Amino acid sequence: MADKFFAWYGEVFKDSALSAREKSLIALAVAHAVQCPYCIDAYSSDAYEKGWSESQMMEAVHVASAIKGGAALVHGVQMMNKVKSIAM
Amino acid sequence: MKSLKALQHALADAGHQIDILEHEKDLPLFTGKMKQAGLLPLLPTQPEIFQVNVGKMCNQVCKHCHVDAGPDRKEIMTKTTMQLCLDVLANNPSFKTVDLTGGAPEMNPDFRWFVSEIKKLKRHIIVRCNLTIILANKKYHDLPDFFKQHEIEVVSSLPFYTQDRTDRQRGNGVFEDSIKALQMLNAVGYGMEGTGLLLNLVYNPAGAFLPPSQIALEKEYKDALLERYNIQFNQLYVITNMPISRYLDYLLVSGNYSSYMEKLIQAFNPVAAANVMCRNTISVGWDGYLYDCDFNQMLDLKIGCSGSDHLSNYSSSAISEREIILNQHCYGCTAGSGSSCGGAVA
Ligand code: SF4
Ligand code: SF4
């Protein structure tokens, strides 16, 4: 199973329709969204080694945070709907 | 910024650098790895490249410089030693290429004379031009024409195609001047299709990490430099930083030394090891002493030919029968796709 996972993982990050460099920045943003310390270290190094600047990397983290924060916020609609259903 | 030597820094002493490199007992010996790969002793092939370090003086003081070069370095090759180089070249036709390096080789007052004399011997000449020298003083502004006139291949460092990374490694303002110099080289035909005038760039990591793939990065460089600055060039050479001199200082001060050495060791590639540049290169120091490569030169590890380790007593048989001198820094040549003055080797 592990071998299959790592083979697939390796394949995902290869240059293809997106470059390995672009994929590294996506991975960095996702690593922050899922708050995986190992992935943050790994993709901070990888993205920097692949030539992204600190400001570009920070912007990617802001994008991840904006999506995560926005997603949390719009769940407020669910909250309001639930409250509406039980309130007099 | 000053050189380590001008600062009287302990690392200015080659012996001290070797002590540090040999001190980490947990790290496997490079010679042991070479033995496992069936490459010990490491023997030379046909000598083809005659690399001459014409002096340590430079207009820049880059943070990673393995030469510890700078404006304060006064070691400069004399015309007499250059003549000894020409004599060795005349007697040894297997050297097809003469690779001129420094410091900034153009700062040697006899540089242009030396180039013209080598040209008379009909050898291909490479000049490792740091680009900013072209703009450093009026007397260097015509270098692109001089290079063209002598059909010189120009190899120039540009650690990245953005200002931030380049300036961090090479000093403030270096990127801007490098771009202007590249445009001047393009203007006389360097790097342009159909001219035959070769302009190759060198990438090396601006930090404690190994370089990425040469092919992918070359495309990125070409796209970015063309789009942003209308600059063209031929090839990109990707070079690994050697854990010696100012880069060793950086590794130690930043706390990255052990992890960097581990990265190099983990990435040891026997194919790259079989193709290291010292096998077909002889490196000449500013004072005429001979070395297996420019890195060994900076560590004062003279060529293993007792009695013929100087231009004045050059012996082609002793050179071809020698064993190459190896030490822990050699891991810098064998990591991943390997690293040489011409980029990846595997
Ligand atoms: S790396 Fe090259 S340009 Fe920079 S200081 Fe050393 S010799 Fe000069
Ligand atoms: S550092 Fe010099 S001697 Fe060692 S492998 Fe590299 S080129 Fe050869």
Side-chain angles (χ1 to χ4, degrees), chain A residues 15 19-21 45 47-54 56-57, chain B residues 160-161 164-165 168 203 206 208-210 212 216-217 220 263:
Chain A
D15 277 315
S19 67
R21 185 167 178 268
S45 301
Y48 194 74
E49 289 174 21
K50 289 195 162 66
W52 295 109
S53 67
E54 288 102 316
Q56 288 168 322
M57 289 161 66
Chain B
F160 210 56
Y161 51 77
D164 172 60
R165 279 202 193 194
R168 272 197 219 184
Y203 161 93
F209 51 91
L210 305 188
L217 195 61
E220 253 178 68
K263 272 184 208 166

Side-chain angles (χ1 to χ4, degrees), chain B residues 242 276-278 293 295-296 324-326 329-330 333:
Chain B
M242 277 282 156
V276 283
M277 65 180 171
C278 46
C293 71
F295 305 120
N296 283 9
I324 292 166
I325 309 287
L326 304 170
H329 64 292
C330 296
C333 290

Side-chain angles (χ1 to χ4, degrees), chain B residues 58 60-62 64-65 67 69-70 102-104 130 170 246:
Chain B
C58 189
Q60 291 184 187
V61 193
C62 304
H64 70 299
C65 182
V67 179
N130 72 13
R170 292 173 84 76
R246 293 213 283 261

